[in-house]
Amino acid sequence: MPLLGGIRPPIAVLCVLILALAGLTAKVLGPGKEAVAPKAVLSSQQYFAEDGAIALRASIDERVTDLERTTAALSAGRPVKAERILSDLGRTYQKWTGTTVLDLESGDVLAARGETIPLAWLDEDVLTGEHALTPRMVRLEAGDVRLMTMAVLDWKDRPQQLLIASSSLSVPAINLGPFRSMAVVAENGEVLATAGFEQAEALNSDQERQELAFLRKQMSRLADQAAVRTEQHPVRAKEPGSRGYPGVSGSLVGGEYNGRVATAGYASLSSADPEEKRSPAAGLGLTVVALMPVVQQQATDQGRELFGLAAAGVLVLLGLLAATVLWATVQRPLLRLFLESRRLARGDLTRPVTVPRWGEAARIGAALERLRGQLGGEPAASGDAPRRRIRVGGRGPLVLTAGLLLVWCVPVGLLLNRTDGSVSVPTTMVNDQRDRTDLITDRLRRALNEAQADLVSTSRLIGAEDGDAAGRLLEDTLAKHPRYQALYVVDADGRVTARAGGDPHAWARGEDLPLVRVSGHGGKEPVVQAGSPVPEGEGSTLVGEIRVEFLNSLLARPGLGEVRVVDSAGRTIAASDGFLAFERLPRESLTDLVRAAGVRVGAGPVENGLLIREGGGVTVAAAAPFSGGGVTADIGWTVVSWQDAERFQIAPYEREDRSVLAGMLGLAAIIFCLGWVYLVVVRPLRALATSAEKLADGDLKTVLYPRYQDEVGAVVRSLELLRQQAQAHRHNQARRSAEPRPHAGGR
């Protein structure tokens, strides 16, 4: 018999798969690898570092964009004095520690404001070449590091001027929570800025000071490791970032102190979309490291070694029983038929055929016995005995075998290690959900403030009478800022005097109305508007409609679940997933959470996190209202996020997933091996049984062709030989009957 054909290979493969699955079961259902912190906590620190890197990259890119946009707008108009430039720049943007205007021809400083900017780092490489005017990190005499942003003012018939803005390279102004600290790290591993470390003077005991010193030491050590890892290319890195993050990110585990382990996430600054737009911040080689001490995880898998071994042992026993059933009911009868058919084909007709008891094998055996009688010339009573009707076919053993294995697969996959609403979720996960939601809120608030600041800057360039020039300016602004879907100027009577982009919506007036507002109630999409009075417009207002898709893109972050922005009435304005305009939150508990977050505590509303146990499931939710500075501080919006705890990589859910995986692998083995047996043996055997019975009934004209080189094919070949012998036997009988018989006696 061929090695890969017949009944033996699928049974052997089934045994091998069962043994392999048993070994895997003993491993995955046994005790897990001891870890000092859950994987979910490490992943959360990685996500937090990515959020910090995104915030820092956006902040740096905004500084560069704001400076370039300001110089481009000034260069397009009439020359302005250097003092006037810095004065307007300071009123519009409060993000630079110092600004300077330098005459490039003479090298003289024309104006300066704020912190003194050293100029020794300016050389030909900074001003010319491929990387001209890119942001630079410069160390001051005091040792602090500043980020220098540059842009050129170019008026006709006047020497070019260089506008330099200095800003501190600080950790993004985000909520780090009570225990987390964050650092900005240079390419060489030097920590440039930190946030979240308490001052030693504010600590009350020597133990707290020792813990602070330990955390600072861990930050320095982990920052060196993160800087080395982020030097890799994102495509070649082992940790290329989580779920589409374009940079290099990952997690690290540090030392242990007083029962708490230092865990850290790191993320390199990278472009939001490197293929379309290159980020100036990505070229600085910076890395953000988020450090969080967590309570060391205690081993909870004591005694699970025997649990995994017991499950594996039961599987082996059931697998051996299933293999025995296949051997006794399919393989053994088939091999016996093969031997009996070959014996008859060779001419041995003296011994009766051993007929199996049931199934297709019994039908074929009975047909062989009838053929033996016909070829041996036995009486019809013995050769043409009535056939036994056997209802149980070859599919019966397969169903029985599948049932034996399903006895193990179904309980393991559907019942074993099941979780419910009592699962313990680490407090760190709830705190991280709250802090990251607040980070998204701050990011969204800053984006809206930046959008309104852009309108303020653009409104100062709009003249009082030239509508065509205003239209061209709006078209140019709209092309540079994809956050807007429409820009238009509305006069004191509410008429649109200049526009660019989509159709404008009505702009309501009133002293109590905010500069950033939402309209479009009852429509298919919320309309988010931001406005800025035109200084020379006599009551005119420049209005920009912000695309909802832009807001949605700021909300989508891995590890946060579904994120929505709701107004003071709890109606949805934007969401990370699809939503209906102004729809309510899907759960009443989320609405209550938003109301609780909006309650003023002290100076204002604060973010809030919650663990919701409903219907046997666990949900981690958080809400963070808008707060802080800018025109959107009192807009009344709240960012709310929620996700099922089963997405977390914590021990109960991991054990449940492993159980489901083991059950599914067992089911796959059943389908594969028993399907193989059915296609290769059972189905051809059923067809062969029908052909054998027709042959025994006298159908000698139908030629039997073997399709497979296996036991069934061998039986077919033997039946074909028997058909030929029966045909020859009938032909000989007919010829003898036709011969003339001699007359008896004489005259």
Side-chain angles (χ1 to χ4, degrees):
M1 293 298 106
L3 183 62
L4 298 180
I7 185 60
R8 296 184 182 92
I11 296 178
V13 170
L14 179 63
C15 294
V16 172
L17 291 179
I18 288 175
L19 292 176
L21 182 58
L24 182 64
T25 300
K27 181 176 179 60
V28 300
L29 296 187
K33 182 180 179 181
E34 294 186 5
V36 295
K39 295 179 182 178
V41 174
L42 297 178
S43 298
S44 183
Q45 307 317 310
Q46 179 181 352
Y47 293 146
F48 207 97
E50 291 176 0
D51 292 342
I54 291 173
L56 181 60
R57 186 258 303 162
S59 176
I60 295 175
D61 288 351
E62 281 290 345
R63 298 174 198 176
V64 176
T65 303
D66 292 341
L67 203 64
E68 291 178 348
R69 182 172 56 252
T70 301
T71 55
L74 291 173
S75 299
R78 292 174 295 180
V80 182
K81 291 184 178 181
E83 285 290 346
R84 172 73 181 278
I85 295 173
L86 299 186
S87 177
D88 292 345
L89 194 66
R91 286 198 302 268
T92 306
Y93 304 104
Q94 293 82 32
K95 60 178 64 176
W96 289 296
T97 59
T99 52
T100 298
V101 177
L102 182 69
D103 191 317
L104 288 178
E105 184 175 330
S106 63
D108 297 333
V109 176
L110 303 180
R113 280 179 175 264
E115 183 180 59
T116 302
I117 298 178
L119 301 177
W121 54 276
L122 279 173
D123 54 22
E124 185 177 355
D125 294 336
V126 176
L127 302 176
T128 60
E130 182 181 356
H131 301 287
L133 302 180
T134 56
R136 297 288 197 280
M137 290 188 297
V138 177
R139 188 177 297 277
L140 305 180
E141 293 182 359
D144 296 333
V145 176
R146 293 289 184 266
L147 179 65
M148 300 299 175
T149 309
M150 298 157 284
V152 174
L153 290 162
D154 190 6
W155 287 294
K156 187 177 181 180
D157 299 330
R158 295 192 63 174
Q160 289 183 329
Q161 298 176 6
L162 183 65
L163 177 58
I164 307 174
S166 170
S167 57
S168 60
L169 199 62
S170 58
V171 173
I174 58 179
N175 184 15
L176 299 177
F179 304 110
R180 182 181 285 104
S181 55
M182 186 174 284
V184 179
V185 183
E187 289 180 314
N188 58 359
E190 178 186 3
V191 177
L192 302 178
T194 60
F197 289 113
E198 298 180 78
Q199 297 296 326
E201 295 80 5
L203 301 179
N204 299 322
S205 64
D206 293 338
Q207 182 177 356
E208 291 178 344
R209 296 187 183 93
Q210 292 175 1
E211 185 172 359
L212 175 62
F214 164 76
L215 293 177
R216 288 185 179 276
K217 183 177 180 181
Q218 291 298 310
M219 175 64 82
S220 178
R221 185 169 71 88
L222 296 176
D224 290 335
Q225 298 180 20
V228 172
R229 296 194 180 191
T230 53
E231 286 181 355
Q232 306 173 79
H233 191 278
V235 176
R236 296 189 295 270
K238 292 183 179 180
E239 295 176 295
S242 60
R243 300 181 186 178
Y245 183 73
V248 180
S249 66
S251 58
L252 298 167
V253 178
E256 182 267 340
Y257 178 81
N258 198 22
R260 295 202 298 173
V261 180
T263 63
Y266 64 90
S268 63
L269 269 64
S270 62
S271 301
D273 193 346
E275 296 182 358
E276 294 185 4
K277 183 180 178 182
R278 189 170 183 179
S279 167
L284 298 175
L286 299 177
T287 301
V288 172
V289 179
L291 177 67
M292 181 75 174
V294 299
V295 178
Q296 187 170 1
Q297 182 174 255
Q298 301 296 328
T300 58
D301 290 342
Q302 302 293 337
R304 295 193 65 85
E305 298 92 342
L306 297 178
F307 185 82
L309 291 175
V314 172
L315 176 60
V316 171
L317 291 177
L318 291 175
L320 291 177
L321 184 58
T324 303
V325 169
L326 290 178
W327 175 82
T329 59
V330 180
Q331 178 178 333
R332 187 178 179 184
L334 181 58
L335 294 178
R336 182 175 297 172
L337 284 178
F338 162 68
L339 296 176
E340 293 289 349
S341 62
R342 186 174 62 176
R343 176 175 65 82
L344 296 181
R346 291 177 178 175
D348 185 1
L349 305 176
T350 57
R351 191 172 71 251
V353 174
T354 303
V355 181
R357 296 183 178 180
W358 54 273
E360 286 81 3
R363 293 169 55 190
I364 298 173
L368 288 175
E369 175 61 21
R370 293 167 61 197
L371 288 172
R372 185 191 70 83
Q374 294 172 10
L375 294 174
E378 295 183 2
S382 60
D384 294 332
R387 291 170 292 175
R388 292 177 292 174
R389 293 186 174 271
I390 303 174
R391 297 181 179 181
V392 180
R395 287 175 291 190
L398 300 186
V399 173
L400 178 60
T401 304
L404 289 173
L405 296 179
L406 287 175
V407 168
W408 185 89
C409 296
V410 172
V412 168
L414 300 180
L415 303 177
L416 194 64
N417 291 326
R418 303 305 295 179
T419 57
D420 53 21
S422 63
V423 173
S424 177
V425 178
T427 307
T428 304
M429 303 305 301
V430 182
N431 295 337
D432 287 353
Q433 185 82 11
R434 178 197 62 209
D435 296 340
R436 294 188 65 204
T437 303
D438 184 66
L439 191 151
I440 295 294
T441 304
D442 183 77
R443 183 182 174 191
L444 185 62
R445 178 185 63 83
R446 289 176 181 273
L448 293 174
N449 287 340
E450 287 288 344
Q452 202 273 337
D454 292 340
L455 295 177
V456 172
S457 178
T458 305
S459 66
R460 294 175 180 171
L461 304 177
I462 298 178
E465 299 178 356
D466 193 353
D468 294 338
R472 290 192 296 270
L473 177 63
L474 296 183
E475 290 284 355
D476 183 64
T477 304
L478 187 64
K480 293 180 179 178
H481 297 284
R483 69 179 61 162
Y484 302 111
Q485 66 181 8
L487 290 171
Y488 44 92
V489 179
V490 181
D491 62 12
D493 298 328
R495 294 175 300 179
V496 177
T497 59
R499 53 170 292 191
D503 296 333
H505 292 77
W507 173 261
R509 294 181 178 275
E511 295 182 358
D512 58 338
L513 294 178
L515 293 176
V516 179
R517 64 189 70 165
V518 180
S519 61
H521 297 278
K524 295 182 178 180
E525 186 176 85
V527 179
V528 182
Q529 296 174 309
S532 172
V534 178
E536 301 179 6
E538 298 180 355
S540 297
T541 304
L542 174 60
V543 181
E545 294 184 6
I546 301 174
R547 294 188 303 110
V548 176
E549 294 79 9
F550 169 74
L551 302 180
N552 295 342
S553 66
L554 299 177
L555 304 178
R557 286 295 301 134
L560 266 182
E562 187 170 352
V563 185
R564 291 193 183 186
V565 180
V566 297
D567 60 12
S568 57
R571 296 170 297 190
T572 302
I573 299 170
S576 58
D577 297 328
F579 72 102
L580 298 177
F582 302 106
E583 69 173 331
R584 301 287 180 175
L585 292 172
R587 299 184 186 178
E588 188 64 29
S589 56
L590 297 176
T591 304
D592 295 339
L593 178 62
V594 172
R595 293 196 190 101
V599 176
R600 288 189 170 272
V601 179
V606 296
E607 70 281 356
N608 195 6
L610 189 65
L611 193 65
I612 304 173
R613 301 182 185 273
E614 293 179 346
V618 183
T619 302
V620 178
F626 272 42
S627 60
V631 295
T632 59
D634 299 325
I635 196 174
W637 290 5
T638 301
V639 176
V640 57
S641 66
W642 68 93
Q643 61 177 325
D644 293 334
E646 61 183 12
R647 299 183 180 181
F648 297 155
Q649 293 176 299
I650 56 180
Y653 293 117
E654 288 184 334
R655 285 197 293 266
E656 181 180 11
D657 293 341
R658 289 196 293 263
S659 298
V660 173
L661 176 62
M664 292 181 65
L665 289 177
L667 182 62
I670 293 173
I671 295 174
F672 176 73
C673 294
L674 299 188
W676 186 358
V677 173
Y678 177 77
L679 293 176
V680 174
V681 177
V682 175
R683 190 170 67 174
L685 204 60
R686 290 170 62 87
L688 177 59
T690 302
S691 300
E693 289 176 344
K694 290 181 179 180
L695 178 60
D697 290 339
D699 182 9
L700 303 180
K701 295 182 179 180
T702 303
V703 180
L704 303 178
Y705 296 99
R707 296 183 179 181
Y708 306 100
Q709 299 296 322
D710 55 10
E711 294 91 345
V712 177
V715 175
V716 172
R717 287 193 295 272
S718 299
L719 282 175
E720 172 60 19
L721 294 176
L722 291 175
R723 185 192 68 83
Q724 295 175 8
Q725 294 177 13
Q727 195 174 40
H729 180 71
R730 179 180 294 181
H731 179 71
N732 293 333
Q733 285 183 340
R735 187 178 60 182
R736 283 197 296 268
S737 299
E739 289 179 354
R741 297 181 180 180
H743 296 284
R747 290 183 177 180

